Amino acid sequence: MTRPLRVRFAPSPTGHLHVGNARTALFNWLLARGQGGTFILRIEDTDAERSTLVSEKSILEDLRWLGLDWDEGPDAGGPHGPYRQSERLQLYLSYARDLISRDKAYFCFCSPEQLEAERQAAFAASQPPKYSGRCRAISFDDASKRIAAGEAAAIRFRVPDARDVTFADIVRGDVTFNTNVIGDPVILRSDGRPAYNFAVVIDDALMEVTTVIRGEDHISNTPRQVLLYEALGFEPPQFAHLSLVMGPDHAPLSKRHGATSVAEFREQGILPEALVNYLTLLGWSPGEGQEILPAAEMARRFELANVSHSAAVFDTGKLAWMNRHYIKEADADRISAMALPSFLKRGFVAHETDLARQYIESLLPLAIGSVDLPSEIADRVAFVFDWRLDRAVALLSAEAEADGPRVIAALAEELWPLGPLTKETFRAAAGRVKDKTGLKGRALFHPIRVALTGLDSGPELDLSVPAIDRGAMLPSSAGVPPIPSCADRARTIADKLRG
Ligand code: GLU
């Protein structure tokens, strides 16, 4: 009988959520949501020195931000809790005792120094390190006496000799390891903390996980886990090991490639829907040549069998392109809120007000479509706030702008009597400048652009000019330092060029 689909994401709370782990969480989520399964979040916090609650909180926050909701977990609860390994220590202990009682595990008294010496010897002989089995033959009675006398003991799993262990990996096909290369692993440390391989098996079994999707860095752990399932009498899950996320140099994505954590991408201004969409394509494709689709549709189409086993290279350029797409799709008030800090930083807005926010929102059409990040919007519209007479004059005085002064004199005259310009009143005024000067096309519009924006190039004047004049009309309560109007700009330059 097939069991109802249950998957899990099992982060260790030892730092921020890496995008590689976020992609593992996402593939679990896609499968669960697409197939009506259950998505479990389990916190693997048995490494007491490295695990922190702060990091657990930040991982949960990042998952929520990405929209990857879970059905069972430390906060959500559920019928198979607790969902934090540190709260399950008694369970691990009882299963370890059970293995001991059936001679499938034994007490190990080796000191850290002895084990280190074994590792060094293996290293010197160019052999993979493997536990020597020194304590394998100690009888239960002898071991109990030593423990009663105060000796510290770990518990090791007795790996059967010379056997092939094969598991069917959904992504990679059949994977086989011979037990001869596997030393007896510690399953419970002398302080009572379980080893990863042991806790993960007990938890996945008791939480009735049917499909384990995780990074391929765990593939060499899997035969140990398969043997433990067997020894404990549990039905093993299906496994799917995802290829690791690499940098462009095909080394695992790390700090030296730039941002690696979900938090860093969020701080940069990557939208969650862009990151999710991008991560979905790291090793999988929805088909039909499509790349941009909502997560729910991706989930509907997602199949583990179609996940590629080749390395997934993280392409920040493509992520940026995707972000640009989602910025265009997003609600304007959301993007302007994200853009606001860079306006404050550049002094374009002195303090946050509703009017300032609305004004920035009204500027978005000038920038959207040409920015990868909301923080770039302030740069695109800097000419509105940061118009400089000297820069405009320098550009207009260039040889190529021989007609510039004539155009600007006429423009200043035309704009002077007008109120704040709209697209229509600006076009009409430009038409009259054209009639007066006999100039058209670039000879007409380039000097106008330079005079009003102080720049050689930029967004369409039809949009830029009304935007400047809307800014010039803002009351001081808007918290936006004064913006000179187009008429003021034209007149100041005309005076300067004449003088
Ligand atoms: N805590 C492990 C990790 O973060 C989980 C591995 C697994 O999914 O089995 O790598």
Side-chain angles (χ1 to χ4, degrees):
M1 202 185 82
T2 51
R3 300 189 284 165
L5 177 79
R6 289 173 60 84
V7 295
R8 85 314 190 260
F9 175 56
S12 304
T14 55
H16 283 300
L17 182 63
H18 186 278
V19 283
N21 288 335
R23 186 264 225 136
T24 299
L26 171 63
F27 279 30
N28 276 285
W29 182 90
L30 287 169
L31 186 69
R33 294 296 171 254
Q35 315 280 314
T38 301
F39 181 38
I40 305 163
L41 177 67
R42 180 173 73 230
I43 300 296
E44 304 210 325
D45 59 348
T46 53
D47 182 343
E49 288 92 59
R50 296 176 58 224
S51 301
T52 65
L53 264 178
V54 173
S55 144
E56 176 185 317
K57 244 184 93 193
S58 86
I59 290 172
L60 265 60
E61 193 183 304
D62 289 345
L63 290 171
R64 279 196 201 99
W65 179 74
L66 289 169
L68 306 182
D69 56 331
W70 51 94
D71 308 301
E72 296 174 25
D75 55 341
H80 301 273
Y83 293 89
R84 248 184 227 106
Q85 288 189 327
S86 59
E87 295 165 18
R88 300 171 64 82
L89 299 182
Q90 282 306 320
L91 274 173
Y92 308 131
L93 180 62
S94 70
Y95 281 98
R97 284 202 180 120
D98 169 57
L99 288 178
I100 293 241
S101 72
R102 294 187 288 117
D103 203 30
K104 292 188 182 292
Y106 58 91
F107 290 107
C108 171
F109 298 91
C110 292
S111 67
E113 295 74 27
Q114 280 172 317
L115 295 172
E116 183 54 30
E118 274 183 16
R119 260 193 297 273
Q120 292 301 334
F123 184 69
S126 307
Q127 296 287 322
K130 182 185 161 189
Y131 176 60
S132 63
R134 189 185 297 111
C135 296
R136 261 193 159 198
I138 301 175
S139 72
F140 178 76
D141 288 343
D142 286 349
S144 304
K145 279 184 205 132
R146 288 171 69 172
I147 292 167
E151 254 189 272
I155 297 177
R156 280 188 193 269
F157 176 56
R158 199 183 292 280
V159 171
D161 289 327
R163 245 190 67 188
D164 277 343
V165 181
T166 300
F167 61 92
D169 190 292
I170 301 171
V171 176
R172 327 187 72 81
D174 279 358
V175 180
T176 302
F177 283 82
N178 191 278
T179 54
N180 282 344
V181 299
I182 306 173
D184 294 347
V186 167
I187 54 174
L188 209 67
R189 299 186 182 85
S190 56
D191 62 6
R193 280 185 300 130
Y196 155 72
N197 277 315
F198 188 54
V200 81
V201 167
I202 292 178
D203 290 349
D204 284 340
L206 298 184
M207 293 179 184
E208 295 174 21
V209 169
T210 54
T211 312
V212 165
I213 306 169
R214 62 185 169 204
E216 71 175 350
D217 47 334
H218 286 292
I219 207 153
S220 62
N221 286 320
T222 309
R224 292 173 181 78
Q225 295 175 17
V226 170
L227 290 168
L228 279 162
Y229 275 100
E230 199 179 286
L232 291 160
F234 292 138
E235 183 182 342
Q238 290 191 298
F239 293 97
H241 287 94
L242 308 177
S243 61
L244 296 187
V245 177
M246 304 293 192
D249 57 356
H250 285 249
L253 188 71
S254 71
K255 283 274 157 242
R256 66 193 171 80
H257 296 113
T260 56
S261 70
V262 169
E264 282 171 292
F265 286 108
R266 178 176 55 215
E267 274 151 34
Q268 281 181 7
I270 297 290
L271 303 183
E273 57 270 44
L275 190 53
V276 163
N277 195 151
Y278 179 69
L279 292 176
T280 303
L281 304 179
L282 275 186
W284 181 73
S285 156
E288 296 167 27
Q290 285 169 302
E291 292 199 304
I292 295 197
L293 285 173
E297 176 58 19
M298 293 286 195
R300 210 181 57 73
R301 298 193 195 185
F302 187 76
E303 276 180 56
L304 268 181
N306 296 341
V307 169
S308 157
H309 61 261
S310 43
V313 174
F314 197 89
D315 177 350
T316 38
K318 182 148 184 186
L319 174 61
W321 168 79
M322 220 161 238
N323 208 45
R324 184 181 286 224
H325 167 84
Y326 280 103
I327 287 177
K328 279 189 258 176
E329 303 272 290
D331 286 344
D333 56 348
R334 180 173 165 216
I335 301 304
S336 57
M338 291 176 78
L340 184 73
S342 48
F343 282 81
L344 287 162
K345 198 162 142 206
R346 295 197 58 171
F348 297 168
V349 173
H351 56 267
E352 204 180 321
T353 64
D354 284 346
L355 280 175
R357 261 195 305 271
Q358 283 159 17
Y359 181 53
I360 291 173
E361 202 173 311
S362 81
L363 297 177
L364 294 186
L366 279 73
I368 294 287
S370 70
V371 294
D372 294 338
L373 297 171
S375 59
E376 293 164 3
I377 292 171
D379 293 335
R380 291 290 188 287
V381 299
F383 65 85
V384 171
F385 304 88
D386 186 21
W387 177 80
R388 304 238 186 96
L389 174 65
D390 48 354
R391 198 168 49 198
V393 169
L395 283 171
L396 278 171
S397 311
E399 190 82 37
E401 298 292 350
D403 292 318
R406 248 177 358 110
V407 173
I408 303 309
L411 181 71
E413 250 171 61
E414 286 303 327
L415 298 190
W416 182 236
L418 301 178
L421 294 168
T422 61
K423 179 169 143 186
E424 289 72 28
T425 56
F426 167 63
R427 280 196 179 168
R432 293 192 295 276
V433 175
K434 176 182 168 193
D435 293 341
K436 271 193 189 166
T437 58
L439 295 164
K440 58 182 181 166
R442 191 179 189 282
L444 173 69
F445 282 104
H446 193 253
I448 294 180
R449 168 179 296 285
V450 171
L452 299 185
T453 69
L455 296 176
D456 248 340
S457 63
E460 283 172 51
L461 282 177
D462 279 355
L463 293 177
S464 305
V465 165
I468 293 169
D469 276 7
R470 279 198 312 278
M473 293 293 291
L474 287 171
S476 58
S477 62
V480 176
I483 292 171
S485 68
C486 290
D488 284 344
R489 295 178 185 203
R491 193 164 59 113
T492 316
I493 298 205
D495 287 352
K496 179 83 180 177
L497 292 175
R498 239 198 325 271

